[in-house]
Amino acid sequence: MRISMVQDQIERRGIHDEKVLQAMRKVPRHKFVPDHLRKYAYADEPLPIGEDQTISQPYIVAYMTENLELESGDKVLEIGTGSGYQAAVLAELTDSVFTIEIVDVLARRAERNLKALGYKNIFVKSGDGYKGWPEHAPFDAIIITAAPTKIPQPLADQLRIGGRMILPLGDFSQDLVLIQKNELGITQQTLLPVRFVPMTGEIENK
Ligand SMILES: C[S@@+](CC[C@H](N)C(=O)[O-])C[C@H]1O[C@@H](n2cnc3c(N)ncnc32)[C@H](O)[C@@H]1O
């Protein structure tokens, strides 16, 4: 099912980075969804994971990952661990993945699950990701998997020069946005319309 998922939902829609496709073929998505939804794990849609949160659609996971253009050795920060699935895909492509989840029960569950699956290069923190993870900054890439209405400044600050950040931006109407940082500042490119759960916490007061 996973092989067909990659072929039919991901390759067919234009994702061609072989390393990303390989990661999507490898990570057992059914181990990241609640037991009663396992039969839908390879369907072309997001699924509920409890606490009113979701695991993103496989295509979107692949698309966001491809746009980060990761190289082995890169240090990646994810905001919105959720099930831990996106973190696992990233961890197949790079050396270290730092991921922060604001819902404590999800953070702990993801950490346990990732450990049980043998991932040693993923570091999970429970808390608000708005301020990033300064002790490990700068990051080569940052991915936000919940939608803020503006770019969280501390995260842009923790991106290395030359680094890439991808996030859904907006409230009711959202676009996936790619940020690239250079010596002069950041450039912003709108990629495609999406629908993510909102980023909560400190960003809501900004
Ligand atoms: C669409 S889900 C993430 C899917 C996840 N990447 C996966 O692979 O399962 C978005 C997650 O972002 C979390 N979130 C929202 N605001 C956050 C914040 N300020 N800091 C950290 N996590 C946050 C939500 O609790 C939710 O679990």
Side-chain angles (χ1 to χ4, degrees):
M1 285 172 93
R2 197 150 67 241
I3 300 293
S4 330
M5 170 191 87
V6 171
Q7 198 177 315
D8 302 343
Q9 302 170 30
I10 298 176
E11 272 190 281
R12 195 164 287 168
R13 289 196 182 110
I15 306 289
H16 294 307
D17 183 329
E18 192 44 47
K19 284 188 286 186
V20 174
L21 297 173
Q22 202 46 44
M24 297 295 296
R25 284 184 200 111
K26 185 167 171 200
V27 179
R29 186 172 160 93
H30 61 284
K31 301 224 164 127
F32 292 86
V33 304
D35 286 347
H36 68 286
L37 295 175
R38 271 196 180 182
K39 57 180 177 292
Y40 305 115
Y42 296 100
D44 191 12
E45 58 191 359
L47 292 172
I49 54 169
E51 314 301 320
D52 282 335
Q53 303 303 330
T54 52
I55 175 173
S56 306
Q57 179 190 12
Y59 170 66
I60 293 292
V61 172
Y63 183 87
M64 291 176 84
T65 305
E66 184 175 63
N67 271 283
L68 290 177
E69 296 185 0
L70 297 177
E71 288 173 14
S72 61
D74 280 355
K75 195 162 39 157
V76 184
L77 175 67
E78 179 193 28
I79 306 303
T81 315
S83 67
Y85 175 69
Q86 171 77 73
V89 171
L90 294 167
E92 295 292 339
L93 295 164
T94 188
D95 275 18
S96 48
V97 178
F98 295 85
T99 180
I100 308 178
E101 170 55 54
I102 201 166
V103 179
D104 187 55
V105 36
L106 293 180
R108 289 182 205 201
R109 190 185 299 154
E111 187 173 35
R112 267 199 316 273
N113 197 27
L114 288 163
K115 195 170 167 210
L117 290 170
Y119 286 97
K120 294 189 169 58
N121 57 341
I122 303 176
F123 307 94
V124 183
K125 179 157 114 173
S126 174
D128 187 343
Y130 175 76
K131 289 207 170 76
W133 203 328
E135 299 89 324
H136 296 288
F139 296 96
D140 301 290
I142 299 180
I143 175 170
I144 310 182
T145 64
T149 48
K150 57 181 72 148
I151 297 168
Q153 189 57 44
L155 298 180
D157 293 343
Q158 286 173 35
L159 189 61
R160 155 181 89 71
I161 293 189
R164 298 160 82 85
M165 170 156 83
I166 194 162
L167 68 149
L169 192 61
D171 40 36
F172 192 69
S173 146
Q174 301 167 6
D175 286 306
L176 215 47
V177 165
L178 178 67
I179 307 285
Q180 286 178 266
K181 189 167 180 180
N182 58 40
E183 285 82 0
L184 301 175
I186 61 170
T187 60
Q188 185 172 329
Q189 188 187 343
T190 298
L191 301 175
L192 80 168
V194 283
R195 176 66 72 84
F196 275 78
V197 295
M199 183 168 176
T200 55
E202 196 169 337
I203 188 74
E204 295 174 285
N205 307 318
K206 297 289 166 188

